[in-house]
Amino acid sequence: MAEAAPKKKIRLGDLLVEHGLISNDQLMQALAEQKTSGLKLGRLLVEKNYVKEEQVLELVSEQLEIPYINLRQYRYDADTVQIIPEMLSRRYRCISLREEPDGSLLVGMADATDIFAYDNLTKQLKRPIRLAVVKESDIIETIDTVYRKQSEISNLAEELQDELSETDIDLEQMVQGEDVQNAPVVKLLQSIFEDAVQIGASDIHIEPDETVLRIRQRIDGILQEQVMKEKRIAPALVSRLKLMSGLNISERRVPQDGRFNIRVHGRSVDVRLSTMPIQAGESVVMRLLDQSGGMLNLGQLGMSEHILNRFRANITRPYGMVLVTGPTGSGKTTTLYSALSELNDSEKKIITVEDPVEYRLPRINQVQVNTRIGLTFASVLRAALRQDPDIVLVGEMRDQETAEIGLRAAMTGHMVMSTLHTNDSISTVNRILDMGAQGYLVASALRAVVAQRLVRKICDSCKSTYTPIAQEKAIITNLMGSDSSKASFQHGTGCTHCNNTGYSGRIGVFEFLEIDDQLADDLRISDASKFAVHARNSEGFRSFAEHALEYALKGVTSIEEVIRVAGTIDESAEEFMESQAEHAHDETIDQDDQIHPEGDE
């Protein structure tokens, strides 16, 4: 059987010149740079913008008479991918795509002219292979996606279960043993963390049940679950995590909080850990903060141009208070840190009061709250105001004392930024007043409120056109204030790149409420109902649902996400649905009358 090996070693540079894709001078420059950089010629030409990567790959495909495959649109079979071990896949930048009827294997390679890699793969797999050309950037991303650690996690869990069964040793002794690096519990935790970082999980949940152990990872805001029957390993995992966090491993009756740093795939990850006693043992939740990912700037958060300009205008004022609100996990801290990064320069003194300090920022004085020794938000905030700050960030307004100190600071020459847990921008004022803050203080100090949520973005690899159902049309028509029948929408069908969810990544949707004279007057008399009416009618105010709908119309997110942000169908949408149903019922009656006119037998 003939193998589809590379026919000959082609000279890529000569081919590109021959086809007019680059000039001879550009080729000479790239070849000269290649001698010092050691990079492959094709990559150098693409990086220098002499030619597009797709043009190079299509030319190689044509010359070698092998297919060019777009991995972003390819549907993988999990068993087929595993034919090539992960180590070989990463070494040769290749991936197994399809088993052919003749017994050969279709393999996508970033460099299909690499005869050495081709020969080694053939020897390792002991079967003929056919090659396809794929983009290198796509194959690296694909390898990270398709080679999940779930099977390794299951195998290590079984190994740990066997060890616990065969040797009746104390769990604490096991996790503190001399050969700790080789202990199954450590290997299992390493695999769990590697898998979570590889797929971009924000949280890891370890939850013992009556008969099983559940490990769940929050990806793009949604939990994905792996169930293991080895429930007996849960105490070993929890004990080891407590040791890593410096917590008391013998205390299992009360919740504990801790943190530690790990390095995964060369990236520094800060882990915030929380334990809680439950009926079947101890539940552990870990928040993963990638310290090496870099801070987002305000322009990357998803704010519209209008909101971004107004937000910047308010945080650069010499004094006043700006609040960022939303539920847990909505990105409030990210927004505030992005703002601080933009404001951080040698001319400003910035102090933060946080619980916990999530990201370390240069030049900024960050204080970790510790209630056990009396280091509360209020006490640290009082001390911070004696440090001559220009900007103060309070991690969260939790009580009346903290709120009033922050408001008074905002009135006396300081810019104060903080967060609150509220559902939207308008209810934020109700929350402050309910905490006991005086209306006149809020009116004098508060400058703006930004409320935010995160919506999932449609996966680019499986994005396709979508026609809304009747109920969705009703909601969209209500939000748009006009007929939605001509609007075009997208959704994700699900693929390997998005774990068959149809979504990949998230983006913020925002409400921005700026306190004008009318709203300040409502606050002075603590009239929350008038404030809400005037806020909704204020210039430029747009709700979460309207912002999310704008993304849906642009094909960034789906109608499903718009509805999730908007909440339940409101009365006007229900009325629309009822009128549609009555209209359909009337048409049915008319048709029946035509088929069975009165008097017919």
Side-chain angles (χ1 to χ4, degrees):
M1 186 182 298
E3 297 178 4
K7 294 185 175 182
K8 59 180 179 178
K9 184 67 177 178
I10 61 174
R11 294 174 62 89
L12 179 61
D14 294 339
L15 281 173
L16 291 169
V17 173
E18 182 183 332
H19 284 75
L21 296 176
I22 62 172
S23 67
N24 194 62
D25 288 342
Q26 289 174 328
L27 174 60
M28 292 299 106
Q29 290 175 19
L31 287 171
E33 189 170 327
Q34 185 186 28
K35 292 178 181 178
T36 56
S37 68
L39 296 175
K40 291 187 176 181
L41 180 62
R43 182 176 171 186
L44 265 175
L45 292 169
V46 172
E47 287 183 353
K48 294 174 77 67
N49 293 321
Y50 290 163
V51 65
K52 292 182 179 178
E53 187 174 5
E54 289 81 1
Q55 292 176 308
V56 175
L57 297 177
E58 287 170 2
L59 181 58
V60 172
S61 169
E62 180 184 337
Q63 290 296 312
L64 296 179
E65 297 180 5
I66 60 177
Y68 164 53
I69 293 178
N70 185 348
L71 291 181
R72 290 191 167 275
Q73 298 175 353
Y74 194 83
R75 300 299 292 269
Y76 302 88
D77 176 73
D79 294 332
T80 303
V81 168
Q82 298 298 328
I83 292 174
I84 299 180
E86 182 180 358
M87 182 184 68
L88 291 179
S89 182
R90 291 188 183 278
R91 179 186 297 171
Y92 299 128
R93 294 286 196 268
C94 65
I95 190 164
S96 175
L97 299 174
R98 184 174 66 240
E99 291 191 90
E100 303 290 16
D102 62 3
S104 63
L105 185 67
L106 180 65
V107 177
M109 289 189 71
D111 184 3
T113 66
D114 190 340
I115 298 175
F116 174 78
Y118 172 85
D119 288 340
N120 273 350
L121 275 175
T122 305
K123 290 176 184 177
Q124 292 278 349
L125 300 177
K126 297 179 182 178
R127 64 189 295 179
I129 63 174
R130 294 177 57 239
L131 296 182
V133 183
V134 294
K135 287 178 68 174
E136 184 173 9
S137 56
D138 284 351
I139 205 168
I140 293 172
E141 181 182 338
T142 300
I143 288 171
D144 286 341
T145 304
V146 298
Y147 287 100
R148 292 289 303 276
K149 298 283 184 180
Q150 290 185 330
S151 59
E152 183 180 329
I153 290 170
S154 296
N155 292 336
L156 287 168
E158 290 179 12
E159 182 183 340
L160 180 57
Q161 173 85 346
D162 292 341
E163 183 165 332
L164 291 174
S165 301
E166 294 171 5
T167 59
D168 189 19
I169 62 173
D170 189 281
L171 291 176
E172 279 74 21
Q173 292 178 2
M174 178 181 172
V175 297
Q176 296 180 77
E178 292 180 5
D179 194 19
V180 72
Q181 292 298 324
N182 296 318
V185 66
V186 176
K187 290 181 180 178
L188 176 56
L189 284 172
Q190 182 180 2
S191 295
I192 291 172
F193 282 122
E194 286 179 354
D195 186 53
V197 171
Q198 188 168 297
I199 60 175
S202 60
D203 301 83
I204 301 173
H205 296 233
I206 299 176
E207 302 169 344
D209 211 332
E210 291 296 332
T211 57
V212 297
L213 174 65
R214 304 179 193 277
I215 295 180
R216 303 201 281 174
Q217 298 169 325
R218 190 175 295 280
I219 305 166
D220 292 335
I222 305 297
L223 285 171
Q224 296 184 10
E225 182 176 83
Q226 181 177 4
V227 180
M228 296 183 292
K229 63 180 181 297
E230 297 84 5
K231 175 189 178 279
R232 193 164 178 261
I233 71 174
L237 289 177
V238 175
S239 294
R240 183 61 199 168
L241 288 167
K242 284 184 176 180
L243 281 173
M244 294 166 69
S245 307
L247 303 179
N248 184 356
I249 62 174
S250 63
E251 180 57 78
R252 301 183 180 92
R253 300 165 300 171
V254 296
Q256 297 186 66
D257 295 314
R259 68 188 302 167
F260 57 91
N261 266 85
I262 56 172
R263 289 197 67 82
V264 182
H265 297 314
R267 295 157 68 178
S268 176
V269 179
D270 188 29
V271 182
R272 287 166 42 194
L273 177 142
S274 172
T275 71
M276 184 173 67
I278 59 176
Q279 192 171 11
E282 281 184 283
S283 167
V284 175
V285 176
M286 292 176 283
R287 170 66 56 87
L288 308 182
L289 301 168
D290 190 348
Q291 300 287 347
S292 58
M295 194 67 57
L296 293 176
N297 61 53
L298 287 175
Q300 296 174 302
L301 299 179
M303 292 183 180
S304 66
E305 187 176 356
H306 168 73
I307 292 178
L308 182 59
N309 291 338
R310 295 311 308 151
F311 183 62
R312 279 183 169 138
N314 278 278
I315 62 174
T316 52
R317 288 187 177 194
Y319 58 88
M321 177 179 285
V322 175
L323 293 175
V324 179
T325 72
T328 301
S330 60
K332 301 184 298 295
T333 302
T334 300
T335 299
L336 284 177
Y337 273 108
S338 300
L340 285 186
S341 296
E342 196 162 295
L343 296 170
N344 188 10
D345 61 45
S346 58
E347 297 178 356
K348 297 185 180 71
K349 170 86 169 185
I350 303 176
I351 300 176
T352 73
V353 188
E354 306 171 69
D355 184 22
V357 175
E358 295 193 5
Y359 293 97
R360 276 73 171 179
L361 298 175
R363 198 187 290 114
I364 294 179
N365 295 269
Q366 297 173 270
V367 183
Q368 167 77 54
V369 168
N370 188 344
T371 54
R372 286 178 294 182
I373 61 173
L375 205 62
T376 63
F377 275 105
S379 63
V380 176
L381 185 53
R382 283 196 191 91
L385 295 177
R386 295 192 289 270
Q387 292 276 310
D388 187 31
D390 297 291
I391 300 169
V392 177
L393 184 147
V394 183
E396 183 184 348
M397 293 290 182
R398 293 185 177 177
D399 51 52
Q400 179 181 356
E401 185 179 16
T402 306
E404 289 194 349
I405 295 172
L407 289 167
R408 293 184 188 280
M411 293 171 59
T412 56
H414 306 90
M415 169 49 62
V416 179
M417 292 187 285
S418 187
T419 70
L420 271 178
H421 286 84
T422 61
N423 290 327
D424 53 46
S425 57
I426 295 174
S427 62
T428 300
V429 170
N430 288 341
R431 175 83 177 100
I432 297 176
L433 295 175
D434 287 343
M435 288 169 65
Q438 298 298 317
Y440 72 89
L441 277 179
V442 181
S444 302
L446 188 61
R447 294 289 176 261
V449 178
V450 179
Q452 64 182 75
R453 302 280 178 87
L454 294 174
V455 296
R456 292 179 291 172
K457 297 192 294 184
I458 300 172
C459 174
D460 289 330
S461 300
C462 59
K463 184 182 289 188
S464 62
T465 304
Y466 175 71
T467 303
I469 61 175
Q471 187 180 41
E472 292 170 337
K473 285 181 179 177
I475 299 172
I476 297 163
T477 298
N478 179 60
L479 290 173
M480 292 177 65
S482 60
D483 184 17
S484 64
S485 59
K486 295 182 180 179
S488 175
F489 297 97
Q490 306 276 327
H491 78 152
T493 57
C495 66
T496 308
H497 286 94
C498 60
N499 291 313
N500 294 314
T501 62
Y503 299 97
S504 179
R506 290 187 291 176
I507 193 169
V509 291
F510 299 86
E511 287 182 358
F512 183 78
L513 182 61
E514 198 163 11
I515 307 301
D516 58 20
D517 291 342
Q518 177 62 65
L519 295 178
D521 289 341
D522 295 335
L523 287 174
R524 285 190 184 92
I525 59 175
S526 299
D527 193 331
S529 58
K530 277 188 178 180
F531 179 89
V533 172
H534 291 145
R536 289 192 185 93
N537 296 324
S538 61
E539 184 180 355
F541 179 79
R542 297 171 65 214
S543 67
F544 284 130
E546 290 172 306
H547 194 184
L549 180 60
E550 182 180 317
Y551 280 136
L553 291 169
K554 292 178 179 178
V556 175
T557 193
S558 66
I559 297 171
E560 177 188 12
E561 287 293 280
V562 176
I563 294 172
R564 186 171 66 85
V565 168
T568 57
I569 304 176
D570 60 17
E571 293 179 2
S572 54
E574 288 178 345
E575 290 171 2
F576 178 86
M577 287 292 292
E578 290 172 2
S579 67
Q580 292 290 93
E582 290 173 3
H583 179 66
H585 180 66
D586 291 343
E587 284 187 347
T588 303
I589 293 175
D590 290 343
Q591 291 172 3
D592 287 343
D593 288 344
Q594 292 172 9
I595 297 171
H596 304 289
E598 192 173 345
D600 279 2
E601 295 182 356

